Amino acid sequence: MKTGRFIGVGLGPGDPDLMTVRAARLIGQAKVIAYPSLPGTESFAHQIAAPYISDNTHEIVLEIPMTTARGPAQAAYDFGAARIAEALDLGEDVVMLCEGDPFFYGSFMYLHARLAEHYSIDVVPGVTSVSAAAARAQLPLVARNEAFSVIPAPLPDDTIRKRMEASDSFAILKVGRHLGRIRALLVSLGLADRAHYVERATLENERILPLPEAPDPAPYFSLILVTKGADPWLKTQS
Amino acid sequence: MKTGRFIGVGLGPGDPDLMTVRAARLIGQAKVIAYPSLPGTESFAHQIAAPYISDNTHEIVLEIPMTTARGPAQAAYDFGAARIAEALDLGEDVVMLCEGDPFFYGSFMYLHARLAEHYSIDVVPGVTSVSAAAARAQLPLVARNEAFSVIPAPLPDDTIRKRMEASDSFAILKVGRHLGRIRALLVSLGLADRAHYVERATLENERILPLPEAPDPAPYFSLILVTKGADPWLKTQS
C-alpha cells in the first residue's frame, strides 16, 4: 500500500485569517489532523485551525509535557511519531497543525526528525509571530542592508547582550519570567526607549505596550521588538 | 470627507497559494491597489497577486528605480506617496501589494514613513522568503533557545563573519553577485557543508542546491540558509 504524506502546516500567529490560503485548504480537506497540546489544556494550534476543520476529521492529539527535562518530552514525541506513522502506513495523509511557522521554534521539527527518513513530507510555511507583532505594532523591522536577530530570552545575559549589540533590529522571544532581566539589559544598552512589548499579537486579547508598562512576569506568548534607528532612507528628503 | 485607509498587504514568497486568507480577500475586494515595479519590467508583486485581483480595480504603479543612489529612489517614493494620498483623500482605501512581509525589507516601509502621520494604516503580515526557503529545503531553522540571524550579503566581510559566528542558524539575503565572497566566508568558518542555496523559493523555476553547485553570480531572488547543527532534542533517544 502507498503510504500517506506527512504535511506540516504553518497556522500563522493566531488569527485564523492569517493562515495561508493553502493551509486553510489543506486543513479543510484533511481526513486526519495531528496537533500538539499541553496535557489538560486546550490546544492553541487547534483553536487557530478550528474554523477550517471539517466534521468527521480524525484528530491525533499529541500531548507534549511542558518541561525542560528531556526524557518526558522525547518520549512524547516518540509516541506521537508512532501514532502518526500508523495513519501514514494506512495510506492516509496526515496534516499536522503548527503554530506560526513549522520550522521556526515549532514542535513539528521533532516529528519531522523522526519521520523524514521513512515518509514523504511537505511543509507549508506560515507567518511568524515576529512578522505579526511588527505589523500590529506598525514597526518597520529591517530595510536595505540592516541585520536582524531573533534571540530567545532564556539565553545568558552575556550572549543576549552581544547579539543585541550586533544587530540593527531584533526580536526577543519566550520573554515570560525573563522580562525583568531583558529590560535591565535593554536599559544598560540605552535601547529601552526603542523597545516595544507585544503580547498575543493578532489575538483578541492582544496588548502592545511601551517596555516600561510591560507586565513582569510576562505571559509565554509575548515578545519584545527593538529597532535601533530608522534607516535614513525611510524618511523623505523634503 | 473621510479619508481612506492605506493597507500594506504581505503577499508571501511568490506562490499565490502562500498569501494569507486575509490578503487574498483584501486584494479581491480592493477598488484601488498600488504596487512597486522596476521601470520597464513586470512587477513581481503584481504577478503574485494577479489571481486575486478583480476586474476594474484601479492600479497605481509605483516605478522605483533599482539604484544605490538615494536621490532617484527617494523622489520615486515621494511621488508614489503623493499619488496614494490622492486616492486616500478621495475616501478610497488603497491596498498596497508587498512581496513577502511588508516590514521585512519591503518598499512598503518607505511609503509607511511618508503616510503614517496623516492617514490610517493597516499592515497584514506575510510569509517571508526565509520561512519559505526553509520549508522548501526541509531545513528546520531554530529550536528551543537557538538564536537566528538574517544577514544581508552586501555587508562587509568582517560584519558578516561576526554575525555568522554569533548565530546558531542564519539566512544570507540579497546574495546576487556576492555569492563567491559569502561562499569563501562560509568555507573559512567550516560551515560550507551546512549551507543550502535556495533560488526563487516556491516559484515554478525554484532551485535548491548544495552551496558548491550554486551559480555565481546568483540571481537577486536567492538566499543561503545555514544551520550549524541539529539541536540534539531533534533526535529521538532510541
Side-chain angles (χ1 to χ4, degrees):
Chain A
M1 186 192 288
K2 199 169 167 291
T3 58
R5 292 184 83 75
F6 183 43
I7 308 170
V9 166
L11 302 173
D15 182 334
D17 220 26
L18 293 177
M19 77 176 67
T20 63
V21 172
R22 181 173 301 161
R25 188 177 57 241
L26 285 169
I27 292 166
Q29 295 172 343
K31 285 200 208 158
V32 183
I33 61 173
Y35 54 89
S37 183
L38 289 173
T41 66
E42 205 196 333
S43 159
F44 181 44
H46 190 267
Q47 231 176 302
I48 302 174
Y52 303 101
I53 299 172
S54 304
D55 295 343
N56 304 319
T57 297
H58 180 70
E59 305 193 354
I60 299 175
V61 186
L62 310 171
E63 296 220 328
I64 311 292
M66 181 77 134
T67 165
T68 49
R70 302 202 163 202
Q74 287 280 17
Y77 285 120
D78 285 347
F79 181 65
R83 290 177 62 204
I84 290 166
E86 253 174 48
L88 298 172
D89 286 337
L90 290 168
E92 296 291 351
D93 293 344
V94 176
V95 168
M96 168 131 181
L97 309 178
C98 311
E99 298 156 16
D101 179 62
F103 279 158
F104 191 74
Y105 303 102
S107 40
F108 173 70
M109 294 191 276
Y110 303 105
L111 297 158
H112 181 268
R114 286 161 173 76
L115 295 167
E117 213 176 310
H118 301 292
Y119 298 94
S120 295
I121 301 199
D122 277 341
V123 182
V124 179
V127 173
T128 66
S129 57
V130 175
S131 288
R136 295 297 305 156
Q138 300 229 355
L139 213 61
L141 284 180
V142 265
R144 292 173 55 78
N145 291 330
E146 291 175 346
F148 183 71
S149 290
V150 180
I151 311 170
L155 289 171
D157 278 14
D158 236 36
T159 311
I160 295 182
R161 188 199 312 271
K162 276 186 199 141
R163 284 167 190 184
M164 285 177 170
E165 284 171 341
S167 313
D168 298 301
S169 304
F170 52 88
I172 309 281
L173 302 191
K174 310 184 183 203
V175 173
R177 64 189 172 80
H178 302 281
L179 188 118
R181 198 164 60 81
I182 298 297
R183 185 153 51 196
L185 278 167
L186 288 168
V187 168
S188 78
L189 292 171
L191 291 172
D193 60 338
R194 317 261 341 142
H196 298 250
Y197 169 84
V198 185
E199 184 181 307
R200 300 186 181 87
T202 82
L203 294 173
E204 249 174 60
N205 46 2
E206 168 190 283
R207 287 203 298 176
I208 299 170
L209 300 168
L211 188 59
E213 294 168 35
D216 182 7
Y220 186 76
F221 284 110
S222 60
L223 55 81
I224 292 171
L225 293 177
V226 179
T227 53
K228 282 194 187 167
D231 181 308
W233 271 62
L234 284 178
K235 304 290 173 203
T236 177
Q237 285 181 314
S238 50
Chain B
M1 186 191 289
K2 197 165 168 293
T3 58
R5 292 184 84 75
F6 183 43
I7 309 169
V9 166
L11 302 174
D15 183 333
D17 220 26
L18 293 177
M19 76 176 65
T20 62
V21 172
R22 180 174 301 161
R25 187 176 58 241
L26 285 169
I27 292 166
Q29 295 172 342
K31 285 198 205 158
V32 183
I33 61 173
Y35 54 89
S37 183
L38 289 173
T41 65
E42 205 195 331
S43 158
F44 181 43
H46 190 268
Q47 233 175 300
I48 302 173
Y52 304 101
I53 299 173
S54 303
D55 296 342
N56 304 320
T57 297
H58 179 70
E59 304 193 354
I60 299 176
V61 186
L62 310 171
E63 295 219 328
I64 311 292
M66 180 76 133
T67 166
T68 51
R70 303 202 162 201
Q74 287 281 19
Y77 285 120
D78 286 347
F79 181 65
R83 289 177 63 203
I84 290 166
E86 253 174 46
L88 297 172
D89 287 336
L90 289 168
E92 296 291 352
D93 293 344
V94 176
V95 169
M96 169 132 178
L97 310 178
C98 312
E99 299 156 16
D101 179 62
F103 280 158
F104 190 74
Y105 302 103
S107 39
F108 174 72
M109 294 190 276
Y110 302 104
L111 297 157
H112 182 267
R114 286 162 173 76
L115 295 167
E117 212 175 309
H118 301 292
Y119 299 94
S120 296
I121 301 199
D122 276 343
V123 181
V124 180
V127 173
T128 66
S129 56
V130 174
S131 289
R136 294 296 304 157
Q138 300 229 354
L139 214 61
L141 284 180
V142 265
R144 293 172 54 76
N145 290 333
E146 293 174 344
F148 183 72
S149 289
V150 180
I151 312 170
L155 289 171
D157 279 14
D158 236 37
T159 311
I160 295 181
R161 188 198 313 272
K162 274 185 202 142
R163 284 166 190 183
M164 286 178 170
E165 283 170 343
S167 313
D168 297 302
S169 304
F170 53 87
I172 310 281
L173 303 190
K174 310 186 183 200
V175 173
R177 65 189 172 81
H178 302 281
L179 188 119
R181 199 164 59 82
I182 298 299
R183 185 154 50 195
L185 279 166
L186 288 167
V187 168
S188 78
L189 292 170
L191 292 172
D193 59 338
R194 316 260 344 142
H196 297 250
Y197 169 84
V198 184
E199 185 182 307
R200 300 186 179 86
T202 81
L203 294 172
E204 250 175 58
N205 46 4
E206 168 190 285
R207 287 203 298 175
I208 300 170
L209 300 167
L211 188 60
E213 292 167 35
D216 183 8
Y220 186 76
F221 284 110
S222 60
L223 55 80
I224 293 170
L225 293 178
V226 179
T227 53
K228 283 196 187 165
D231 181 309
W233 270 62
L234 285 178
K235 305 290 173 202
T236 177
Q237 284 183 314
S238 48

